[in-house]
Amino acid sequence: MILRRLYVLFLVISFTSVSLPVHAQQTIEVDPVSIETRLAGQPGINGKLAVLETALAEIQKSKTPDLGLFFDLGTLRLELLLKQDKQLEAADQAAQLAQIAISQRQILNRNPLPFLRRAAVLYEEIGKYRNAIGVLEAELNQRLEGGQSGEEIARVQRDLAHIAKLQGNASQAEKYLALAEAALAPTEAGTRSGEEKGYHEVDVFYATDRKQTGETEPSDFYGYDRGDLEFGIVSVTIPDTHVPGAIETPSIWKLEFGPEPAKHIMVQKVEPQAADEYFARMQSEMKQRDRKEAFVFIHGFNTSFDAAAKRAAQLAYDMDYRGVPVLYSWPSAGKTFMYVADTAVVRLSGRRLYAFLQDLKSRSGADVIHIVAHSMGNRALTDALELLATKHTAEGKSEPIFGQVFFAAPDVDAGLFREMLDTIRPLAQRMTLYTSQEDWALVASRKLHGDAPRAGQAGQSLLTSEVFDTIDMSALGEDMLAHTYFANDSSALADIMSLIWLNAAPDQRCGLQKVDRIQKASSWKYEKGSCPDTDVINLIKLLWGESEVSVDQIKKQIKAQFDDPARIAAIEAWLDKLPPVSSD
């Protein structure tokens, strides 16, 4: 029955939402952390499966079912069924997850393709060939509707031919093979460059202590199991229609059934490399860049490798960054109910990050290295920097190792953060703490930590110090995207770019108002609408590679480009605040 619903789902234009049946009149609210705790209390697989069945039923009874949590728990159920070699149940579970991922794509943002492939393999192994063909046809339909062509389409056609042979249907197998050959035939579109196709490719150098999954699909190349430190390059496509701050994904409401480079940000290729090859490639790339520098992004809680790579590429692209973008990806489970599990692995990753940052400094060829860490990723970063600072001091060094270090919404105990940054301060040219009173994730984290304030929270517990600049970004909103305000909003991006460009102090940047505090260090509050952030971003993009330009020259260009006096005045007011760009 699951297979038939899934097959029909892919073949019709009109889709219906997957509904979660309510088994009783009573309703309950489900806490992801309590589920995680219950799972941790069950040492055996059968016990964990029982907990999952109960939790899934609880979600179905909830007044507002959390579909993301339901999906994540279903994924864990699939993993446990595979460990018990319950192949038929696992195949059906994978097919159901694919169905949910497709019908709820706009809400979940989950890729159905790995689940379809898993279901196909499992059905084949147990001799359910008709079921295997059904899910492979579903995968094919996804890819075709998404505008894909070439090798990926041919691969699915060859898999279909293989299953048809196993069924004893030689004529159908020949048809599939003929279609595979046709998919590989060159087309006019296939000979055009990426830019002509409607997208750009951004290569991000990465380091990760995630373990490879064995999957060939780039989006699922790395999982959340711990592994050794690995290096490589991940290629991400950014569509020409990209909106700054957004991560474009397929939408079921736009009849987008699969990812397409000209419409969506996609991980296209993951290329692991040996350390020597990796740093040699980075040095070669650095020599070709306008700015001999690197920008390291460290993601936060509930983030997969795929999502982290997309975010790193989006930041680099939106800034038109002229240095080399680098991602450090620690093994976050990328699941809402695995917060405690993420806290356990992130501290170990801090040790790996410490080693990587040392190598990056000595082997990258960069004159300057900037770092931004988000959310729980700040735990790895602060641990790594504290170790580096201790080594730095022991060696009698005083010069900063890094340029700008950004702590965005850090999910770190506020008191611990302040103490650590006293030690860390000599490592950086400037350190900036971005906070928000509206950060929903930090509010939840504070509850889990006995109401201990988090470093990324604004409001009464706002953290200030003479050793770092505190910026309150609460004005950017209270929606569910507030936790990633540093990347989603052009206001925060303009501030980051100003720092990387000229190391501008808070009083020299756009849209920041000083907040004086009695017996405390001052902080700064962003006032939304007070800065022409789009113009600021576009100007810095033009000036990234300029070493000999004055403010007066920039003003002349602005007056020649714009007719609106108010717009010109707003941009000039920002320029007058800046530190010297250069002398005439």
Side-chain angles (χ1 to χ4, degrees), residues 122-185:
L122 290 169
Y123 283 134
E124 178 191 344
E125 288 177 352
I126 57 179
K128 296 282 186 178
Y129 301 135
R130 181 179 178 187
N131 294 26
I133 284 181
V135 290
L136 284 172
E137 288 281 7
E139 179 187 352
L140 180 63
N141 213 38
Q142 279 274 285
R143 294 186 181 279
L144 289 172
E145 293 288 355
Q148 293 187 3
S149 59
E151 179 55 40
E152 285 303 318
I153 298 299
R155 181 189 61 77
V156 182
Q157 298 280 18
R158 288 194 294 266
D159 289 344
L160 282 163
H162 170 68
I163 301 297
K165 286 181 181 178
L166 292 177
Q167 280 184 311
N169 193 339
S171 61
Q172 186 60 48
E174 289 299 323
K175 291 178 182 178
Y176 283 131
L177 289 174
L179 289 171
E181 289 186 21
L184 292 172

Side-chain angles (χ1 to χ4, degrees), residues 471-527:
I471 314 296
D472 182 352
M473 287 288 190
S474 300
L476 298 187
E478 57 184 358
D479 61 9
M480 290 297 284
L481 292 179
H483 193 51
T484 48
Y485 55 80
F486 77 97
N488 290 331
D489 195 286
S490 58
S491 305
L493 196 66
D495 198 57
I496 290 172
M497 291 175 70
S498 296
L499 278 161
I500 293 175
W501 180 37
L502 289 178
N503 185 31
D507 62 347
Q508 297 173 316
R509 306 204 300 268
C510 193
L512 301 184
Q513 298 299 319
K514 189 175 183 180
V515 179
D516 291 317
R517 296 173 177 273
I518 300 175
Q519 296 180 340
K520 288 185 178 181
S522 297
S523 66
W524 299 82
K525 191 176 183 69
Y526 183 80
E527 292 191 354

Side-chain angles (χ1 to χ4, degrees), residues 282-283 286 292-294 360-361 363-369:
M282 188 179 290
Q283 288 180 25
M286 200 71 68
K292 306 298 187 269
E293 59 182 47
L360 193 66
K361 182 63 180 176
R363 304 182 66 183
S364 66
D367 295 331
V368 182
I369 297 171

Side-chain angles (χ1 to χ4, degrees), residues 403-415:
Q404 304 298 324
V405 177
F406 303 90
F407 305 95
D411 184 4
V412 180
D413 180 90

Side-chain angles (χ1 to χ4, degrees), residues 184-474:
L184 292 172
T187 63
E188 182 181 353
T191 61
R192 292 181 293 174
S193 67
E195 293 188 14
E196 291 173 330
K197 286 183 177 180
Y199 64 87
H200 291 73
E201 287 191 15
V202 177
D203 285 341
V204 178
F205 286 78
Y206 72 82
T208 185
D209 53 341
R210 294 176 183 267
K211 187 176 181 180
Q212 294 184 24
T213 63
E215 295 282 349
T216 58
E217 187 75 19
S219 60
D220 299 289
F221 194 87
Y222 286 104
Y224 63 87
D225 287 335
R226 293 181 183 182
D228 296 327
L229 189 60
E230 293 188 10
F231 308 101
I233 298 173
V234 55
S235 298
V236 181
T237 59
I238 310 285
D240 290 347
T241 55
H242 168 67
V243 176
I247 299 290
E248 287 87 357
T249 57
S251 169
I252 195 71
W253 307 113
K254 297 178 182 177
L255 299 183
E256 296 172 343
F257 309 122
E260 182 180 355
K263 296 180 180 179
H264 314 119
I265 295 183
M266 291 176 58
V267 171
Q268 286 282 74
K269 182 173 66 173
V270 179
E271 182 185 355
Q273 294 182 327
D276 289 344
E277 179 187 8
Y278 174 80
F279 285 110
R281 172 84 174 268
M282 188 179 290
Q283 288 180 25
S284 175
E285 188 71 23
M286 200 71 68
K287 291 176 182 178
Q288 302 174 41
R289 297 298 177 111
D290 292 340
R291 297 174 72 90
K292 306 298 187 269
E293 59 182 47
F295 180 83
V296 183
F297 172 60
I298 305 159
H299 62 79
F301 160 66
N302 189 22
T303 305
S304 65
F305 179 86
D306 177 72
K310 290 175 182 177
R311 181 62 79 186
Q314 173 249 313
L315 281 169
Y317 185 83
D318 286 355
M319 290 192 296
D320 190 22
Y321 186 58
R322 303 301 175 83
V324 172
V326 180
L327 165 68
Y328 187 89
S329 183
W330 53 280
S332 165
K335 293 181 172 62
T336 55
F337 67 93
M338 294 187 73
Y339 180 90
V340 177
D342 274 9
T343 64
V345 298
V346 71
R347 301 298 294 270
L348 174 59
S349 292
R351 271 53 182 172
R352 273 81 180 269
L353 178 59
Y354 160 68
F356 173 64
L357 289 176
Q358 289 186 93
D359 284 343
L360 193 66
K361 182 63 180 176
S362 63
R363 304 182 66 183
S364 66
D367 295 331
V368 182
I369 297 171
H370 307 293
I371 307 173
V372 59
H374 179 227
S375 179
M376 196 183 288
N378 282 279
R379 299 191 192 187
L381 178 61
T382 50
D383 280 357
L385 292 181
E386 191 173 42
L387 290 170
L388 278 169
T390 302
K391 183 175 185 288
H392 197 61
T393 302
E395 293 174 350
K397 297 178 181 178
S398 58
E399 289 295 315
I401 298 176
F402 305 109
Q404 304 298 324
V405 177
F406 303 90
F407 305 95
D411 184 4
V412 180
D413 180 90
L416 176 62
F417 184 85
R418 181 191 280 115
E419 293 292 332
M420 295 179 82
L421 262 65
D422 283 339
T423 303
I424 291 168
R425 179 64 187 92
L427 291 182
Q429 193 174 15
R430 184 183 298 277
M431 299 192 302
T432 302
L433 169 64
Y434 285 127
T435 69
S436 176
Q437 193 170 358
E438 309 295 346
D439 195 310
W440 60 273
L442 292 181
V443 171
S445 176
R446 180 168 180 166
K447 291 178 181 178
L448 292 172
H449 289 88
D451 200 37
R454 315 314 290 163
Q457 287 184 295
Q460 292 184 343
S461 61
L462 183 73
L463 189 62
T464 62
S465 172
E466 296 293 344
V467 303
F468 55 84
D469 300 325
T470 299
I471 314 296
D472 182 352
M473 287 288 190
S474 300

Side-chain angles (χ1 to χ4, degrees), residues 25-187:
Q25 293 298 318
Q26 120 186 51
T27 59
I28 60 176
E29 295 305 316
V30 182
D31 176 12
V33 176
S34 70
I35 295 174
E36 184 176 11
T37 302
R38 281 183 276 164
L39 285 167
Q42 295 291 336
I45 293 179
N46 287 331
K48 292 183 187 299
L49 283 170
V51 170
L52 286 175
E53 295 297 337
T54 301
L56 291 167
E58 287 173 354
I59 295 173
Q60 293 173 9
K61 296 174 184 177
S62 174
K63 291 180 181 178
T64 55
D66 185 337
L67 196 55
L69 180 57
F70 188 86
F71 189 91
D72 288 345
L73 293 176
T75 303
L76 178 58
R77 181 173 183 267
L78 170 61
E79 294 173 4
L80 295 177
L81 289 170
L82 288 170
K83 288 181 179 179
Q84 286 194 322
D85 290 327
K86 294 183 177 180
Q87 292 174 294
L88 180 57
E89 287 184 65
D92 288 344
Q93 179 69 44
Q96 184 185 49
L97 288 168
Q99 179 189 6
I100 296 172
I102 294 160
S103 65
Q104 299 292 337
R105 191 190 299 277
Q106 191 174 46
I107 298 172
L108 287 174
N109 188 28
R110 306 298 169 89
N111 183 4
L113 298 181
F115 299 102
L116 291 170
R117 288 198 307 279
R118 173 65 70 181
V121 169
L122 290 169
Y123 283 134
E124 178 191 344
E125 288 177 352
I126 57 179
K128 296 282 186 178
Y129 301 135
R130 181 179 178 187
N131 294 26
I133 284 181
V135 290
L136 284 172
E137 288 281 7
E139 179 187 352
L140 180 63
N141 213 38
Q142 279 274 285
R143 294 186 181 279
L144 289 172
E145 293 288 355
Q148 293 187 3
S149 59
E151 179 55 40
E152 285 303 318
I153 298 299
R155 181 189 61 77
V156 182
Q157 298 280 18
R158 288 194 294 266
D159 289 344
L160 282 163
H162 170 68
I163 301 297
K165 286 181 181 178
L166 292 177
Q167 280 184 311
N169 193 339
S171 61
Q172 186 60 48
E174 289 299 323
K175 291 178 182 178
Y176 283 131
L177 289 174
L179 289 171
E181 289 186 21
L184 292 172
T187 63

